[in-house]
Amino acid sequence: MGTQNLSSELECIHTVEQGSSNNLNFSESDHFMGLPLSDGSSTDGIKRDLDDDNLHLANIKEVGGIYESDDWCDPLSVEEFDLEDDWFDCKESPSIHDEAEDEGSKPLYEGAPLTLAENGCPIFKSSKVSLWPLFFSINELPHKRRFLKENLIYAGLWLGSKPAVGTFLKPFLASIKELQDGVEVYAQDKKEIIIVKAVVLCGTCDLPARAVMLNMVQFNGAFGCSHCLQKGCSTSTGKGSVWTYPFCMTNPLGPKRSHEKMLSDAMKVHTMQMKKPINGIKGPTFLSSFGMNLADGMAIDYMHTVLLGVSKKLLHLWFDTSHSKELFSLTKLLDNIDMRLTKIKPPHFISRIPRSIKDHLGYWKASEYRAWLFYYSLPALKGLMNDIFFEHYALLVEAVVILNSDSISVNDIKYCESLLIQFCYLFGTLYGDRYCLSVVHGLLHLPGVVRNLGPLWVYSCFAYEDINGKLLHMVQGTKKPHLQIANNLCSLLKVPELLQNVSVGADTLKYVKKLSLKKKPASRTEVIDGFISVVGRLLQCNPESDLLPLIVECIGYKPQLFYKFLRLQLNDMLLYSSDYKLVTKRNSYTVRYLKEGVTFFGQIKYFLKCTKCCSCSAKCMCSSDYLAVIKHMNSVAESIAANCRTTLKLDHLLMVKNQGDVFFHIIPVKYIAELCIFMQFENPEESFIAQAPNLLESD
């Protein structure tokens, strides 16, 4: 039987099996609401009445409306990468283009590949009632705009215990099929009506939700991995047992699951009416009806697997007093590590300053585990942790950072695969097989997921968890929380349409925009170009005499007037200078910059506006040059892994040793490349610089 026919048959089976309330045990606290993706005949919006409450919901910014908006980003203008050599983003699905070629149909607008996201979160501390929202995001949108409320597709909400997937997803099946057949929209750039076809390209969720969506056993059961057929085993913990996945020497990554095999197992469970799962598959899943590849299309979310899974477990092993007699324990060095950690002053793109492990580890958020893994941990542990454990942990850091990069080559993926195999191979030996849990095993499949779907940040659950938090804030009491969320969500989704259809003044639009912003925007004094702006006051000044020759050398003339300013908006970066004294717990002035094509690191002292000759005020529009005065780190920088016995690179972490006197570089502000994390501990002659793996994902 062909895969397509099998999927169609399973669709019908699943509708009967899990779509019927006779086969489900609902509690009185279970509610679900659907926000269909279209209204059947048009893409002007979606309307639905809910049960007896006669509650009207509308998803205003549906797929067609998003494509027709003026600020839609033309995918063809986005920098493209050769898929044979480089992965950037899971933006498109080959099946869309293949279909267009086979049918000879009207040219498509790169299609509308969607990412499905499902994550549960508790509503009340004293109740088991949880909120399970279902989202679709459009991969064609730039990452920073992909998760704006007007661009995210809210498909439905389940409130109660774990959702019955058949009942929950059944209302969306018709809408998805309609979008897969194609909808006509007006393309602003082409000035013509085109056909947009949508396809569910991948899904992302935490481990419990993934088992629910795929209708398979949970991660702590036999065959609980959704990417391979390793069974795992029960391992004694002394007081009980835990399900583990010891490293398989003969086949670390397999046997791999396939979409066809998962469909076949689901069919066997149904036709034979088996009460036990086959290879972990409990039965049909509605996801097969969406056309998504069940094996390769379900992503591994690194927020839950790596950060809240492996990193959290390692910190527990290192610093919990119950392991104080183990070789890997760092409990005796906790105060030293805490002292190093709390000395770090992160830049503003890291939302939280480092908190003590001893006092606050139990309250760390996922973003804090990310900053620890990417930037803080190796410098804080260097020289204190046993070299064997340090180099073993560095394998994980190196692999996850590379897999989170802006773009990743085929060789990068192979390199990360070898690193993670080494990490998992040694994990049981160093920490014990009892801790080879499903999250550790999941590391082995990260390179394969990146090979299929793109870098880890593309389908990370960080953005969806942030939206979950906003939904939870819509609940103000314990009475009918589902209706509270529905009412508030309806109002939230209605705002973009109202702003488009109602004639309002500039002050009103400015006020509404201000209410929708998470942070107060920087006060721009002067726009240098479309991406660079002066922030704060400009004060006339006379620079130091030893800097004048450097200024003249940089701009080619001797300025008559100088204006000093202390903050600069460069693209999405808000740069501070070390002379700006109002911020003491942050360091947003350590940067990587270019001078004559060579990369340097340094700290911005202040910024200068230089003009040839005029009698205007500081805000004059005469020809001016904007410069950065940078205290160059006259130092020798080498990778933190330079003395390791392994082949690690760790290029994003540099150890800086001061060499000689300090001097300054003068450069145009446009040559500032990126903000870096600066770390200096007990040795003033030695410091560390960390670079972000990508410029798209931020707290």
Side-chain angles (χ1 to χ4, degrees):
M1 183 182 293
T3 302
Q4 186 174 0
N5 295 333
L6 188 58
S7 297
S8 301
E9 186 170 343
L10 284 174
E11 173 188 325
C12 299
I13 293 171
H14 199 72
T15 302
V16 175
E17 288 283 303
Q18 294 193 11
S20 173
S21 60
N22 295 330
N23 296 322
L24 298 171
N25 295 320
F26 292 114
S27 68
E28 293 183 359
S29 61
D30 286 339
H31 305 271
F32 82 96
M33 58 190 72
L35 284 73
L37 308 184
S38 66
D39 64 357
S41 60
S42 70
T43 56
D44 295 332
I46 24 172
K47 300 179 179 180
R48 179 189 176 101
D49 293 332
L50 290 184
D51 303 330
D52 299 330
D53 299 290
N54 197 29
L55 181 65
H56 175 71
L57 289 180
N59 188 348
I60 302 302
K61 278 289 186 180
E62 78 301 330
V63 175
I66 294 174
Y67 268 88
E68 291 178 356
S69 61
D70 293 331
D71 55 355
W72 169 255
C73 175
D74 182 357
L76 298 180
S77 66
V78 178
E79 182 178 2
E80 296 183 354
F81 295 83
D82 183 357
L83 291 182
E84 294 298 325
D85 299 320
D86 226 337
W87 274 257
F88 177 69
D89 199 345
C90 65
K91 293 184 303 206
E92 55 183 77
S93 170
S95 61
I96 298 177
H97 305 288
D98 294 343
E99 184 179 347
E101 293 175 1
D102 294 342
E103 296 179 2
S105 59
K106 194 172 182 178
L108 300 181
Y109 193 71
E110 292 294 306
L114 305 176
T115 294
L116 177 149
E118 170 79 11
N119 281 296
C121 54
I123 296 182
F124 308 114
K125 294 182 179 179
S126 58
S127 171
K128 294 183 179 180
V129 175
S130 297
L131 176 69
W132 296 72
L134 180 67
F135 304 108
F136 288 98
S137 60
I138 301 177
N139 299 335
E140 293 283 1
L141 284 170
H143 187 264
K144 288 189 177 296
R145 295 190 48 231
R146 193 174 301 173
F147 303 104
L148 297 179
K149 63 178 182 295
E150 60 266 28
N151 294 334
L152 197 67
I153 301 172
Y154 296 80
L157 296 168
W158 178 284
L159 191 141
S161 55
K162 290 182 180 180
V165 179
T167 302
F168 190 27
L169 295 184
K170 185 178 179 180
F172 312 129
L173 183 58
S175 296
I176 285 292
K177 286 188 175 297
E178 182 179 342
L179 293 176
Q180 287 175 340
D181 293 337
V183 293
E184 291 187 354
V185 299
Y186 181 76
Q188 293 287 346
D189 63 331
K190 300 180 184 296
K191 305 298 182 185
E192 64 179 357
I193 294 177
I194 61 173
I195 298 175
V196 174
K197 294 189 177 183
V199 59
V200 180
L201 187 64
C202 68
T204 182
C205 47
D206 57 15
L207 290 176
R210 181 167 57 182
V212 172
M213 298 298 286
L214 291 175
N215 197 17
M216 61 181 296
V217 300
Q218 284 290 346
F219 60 93
N220 54 354
F223 299 102
C225 177
S226 63
H227 290 268
C228 75
L229 290 169
Q230 291 188 24
K231 182 179 180 179
C233 63
S234 179
T235 304
S236 174
T237 61
K239 298 181 179 179
S241 62
V242 65
W243 199 265
T244 62
Y245 291 84
F247 185 82
C248 179
M249 294 290 294
T250 56
N251 192 1
L253 305 179
K256 292 185 177 181
R257 289 188 185 269
S258 67
H259 178 69
E260 294 76 13
K261 179 62 175 174
M262 293 178 76
L263 292 178
S264 175
D265 289 342
M267 177 63 75
K268 288 180 182 178
V269 172
H270 168 71
T271 55
M272 298 180 182
Q273 297 183 351
M274 301 180 67
K275 295 183 179 180
K276 291 185 178 182
I278 298 178
N279 294 324
I281 304 297
K282 297 164 68 175
T285 171
F286 240 111
L287 292 184
S288 60
S289 307
F290 292 167
M292 190 182 83
N293 188 304
L294 300 182
D296 297 333
M298 186 58 73
I300 296 178
D301 169 45
Y302 90 96
M303 186 190 85
H304 290 100
T305 301
V306 181
L307 304 179
L308 296 176
V310 180
S311 292
K312 187 175 183 178
K313 175 57 67 175
L314 285 174
L315 282 164
H316 169 77
L317 292 172
W318 293 338
F319 299 112
D320 194 289
T321 54
S322 62
H323 304 291
S324 59
K325 295 182 180 180
E326 301 289 346
L327 184 61
F328 54 74
S329 175
L330 296 174
T331 52
K332 296 180 181 179
L333 300 170
L334 179 56
D335 291 336
N336 302 72
I337 296 171
D338 257 353
M339 181 188 66
R340 289 185 174 185
L341 184 61
T342 53
K343 276 188 175 182
I344 299 172
K345 297 180 179 181
H348 280 78
F349 67 77
I350 297 177
S351 60
R352 296 174 180 269
I353 61 174
R355 292 193 288 176
S356 164
I357 296 174
K358 183 177 182 180
D359 299 328
H360 300 288
L361 182 60
Y363 306 99
W364 274 22
K365 304 294 184 182
S367 60
E368 292 175 278
Y369 284 106
R370 176 172 57 188
W372 166 262
L373 179 72
F374 286 3
Y375 314 123
Y376 308 152
S377 57
L378 291 181
L381 296 173
K382 189 173 179 61
L384 299 177
M385 177 180 268
N386 181 288
D387 288 345
I388 295 176
F389 291 95
F390 182 85
E391 293 178 15
H392 174 254
Y393 174 66
L395 295 170
L396 174 67
V397 176
E398 170 88 321
V400 176
V401 166
I402 292 177
L403 294 177
N404 265 286
S405 301
D406 286 316
S407 61
I408 308 170
S409 68
V410 174
N411 290 333
D412 288 336
I413 296 177
K414 292 179 180 178
Y415 173 62
C416 292
E417 196 165 59
S418 67
L419 293 180
L420 291 173
I421 288 175
Q422 290 181 62
F423 179 83
C424 294
Y425 167 67
L426 294 171
F427 194 91
T429 303
L430 296 177
Y431 297 98
D433 288 339
R434 178 256 182 273
Y435 296 108
C436 293
L437 305 174
S438 60
V439 288
V440 176
H441 171 76
L443 297 176
L444 294 169
H445 300 299
L446 287 180
V449 172
V450 171
R451 187 178 287 113
N452 291 323
L453 301 175
L456 296 178
W457 53 264
V458 172
Y459 35 83
S460 161
C461 281
F462 271 104
Y464 301 107
E465 291 290 345
D466 183 57
I467 297 166
N468 282 356
K470 293 178 182 178
L471 292 176
L472 291 178
H473 287 156
M474 296 178 182
V475 179
Q476 303 297 324
T478 58
K479 186 177 181 180
K480 294 187 176 181
H482 59 295
L483 296 184
Q484 296 180 50
I485 294 174
N487 276 315
N488 285 288
L489 185 58
C490 180
S491 301
L492 180 69
L493 296 175
K494 196 74 177 178
V495 171
E497 185 194 32
L498 292 175
L499 292 178
Q500 287 185 355
N501 297 333
V502 179
S503 299
V504 294
D507 292 339
T508 304
L509 289 173
K510 185 177 180 181
Y511 177 71
V512 173
K513 186 176 180 180
K514 179 180 178 181
L515 290 178
S516 63
L517 292 175
K518 291 176 61 177
K519 299 179 181 179
K520 182 180 177 181
S523 176
R524 300 185 180 187
T525 307
E526 201 171 295
V527 177
I528 300 174
D529 63 27
F531 303 99
I532 309 175
S533 302
V534 175
V535 178
R537 294 186 300 169
L538 293 101
L539 299 175
Q540 190 169 344
C541 69
N542 292 313
E544 295 86 341
S545 57
D546 57 335
L547 295 181
L548 284 174
L550 299 177
I551 295 173
V552 173
E553 180 185 355
C554 179
I555 59 180
Y557 65 88
K558 184 177 181 180
Q560 299 298 313
L561 291 175
F562 298 91
Y563 297 95
K564 179 180 179 180
F565 59 99
L566 303 179
R567 289 177 293 165
L568 179 81
Q569 183 79 40
L570 179 62
N571 297 319
D572 294 326
M573 294 186 296
L574 181 58
L575 301 173
Y576 286 63
S577 60
S578 59
D579 283 3
Y580 187 73
K581 302 301 182 184
L582 294 181
V583 177
T584 58
K585 294 185 177 181
R586 298 279 183 174
N587 180 336
S588 290
Y589 48 82
T590 300
V591 294
R592 179 176 66 85
Y593 61 96
L594 300 175
K595 183 175 175 60
E596 298 177 353
V598 181
T599 297
F600 294 96
F601 294 92
Q603 298 185 331
I604 302 169
K605 182 172 174 58
Y606 56 83
F607 302 98
L608 279 176
K609 174 186 175 182
C610 306
T611 59
K612 289 185 177 180
C613 58
C614 74
S615 56
C616 306
S617 64
K619 295 184 180 181
C620 78
M621 301 306 295
C622 300
S623 177
S624 303
D625 289 280
Y626 297 83
L627 308 175
V629 179
I630 299 180
K631 178 183 175 184
H632 169 59
M633 292 182 175
N634 184 22
S635 55
V636 176
E638 60 181 16
S639 169
I640 197 172
N643 297 322
C644 290
R645 290 165 292 184
T646 59
T647 58
L648 287 171
K649 301 174 184 176
L650 291 173
D651 293 333
H652 78 293
L653 274 173
L654 300 177
M655 187 168 57
V656 179
K657 296 182 179 179
N658 296 330
Q659 302 284 327
D661 298 331
V662 174
F663 62 89
F664 291 91
H665 278 164
I666 309 292
I667 63 165
V669 293
K670 64 181 180 181
Y671 291 136
I672 298 175
E674 65 173 316
L675 265 175
C676 300
I677 298 93
F678 179 77
M679 294 165 278
Q680 191 173 64
F681 306 129
E682 56 269 13
N683 184 1
E685 300 300 319
E686 183 180 85
S687 54
F688 301 89
I689 293 176
Q691 302 173 72
N694 67 75
L695 301 177
L696 296 167
E697 187 182 34
S698 59
D699 292 354

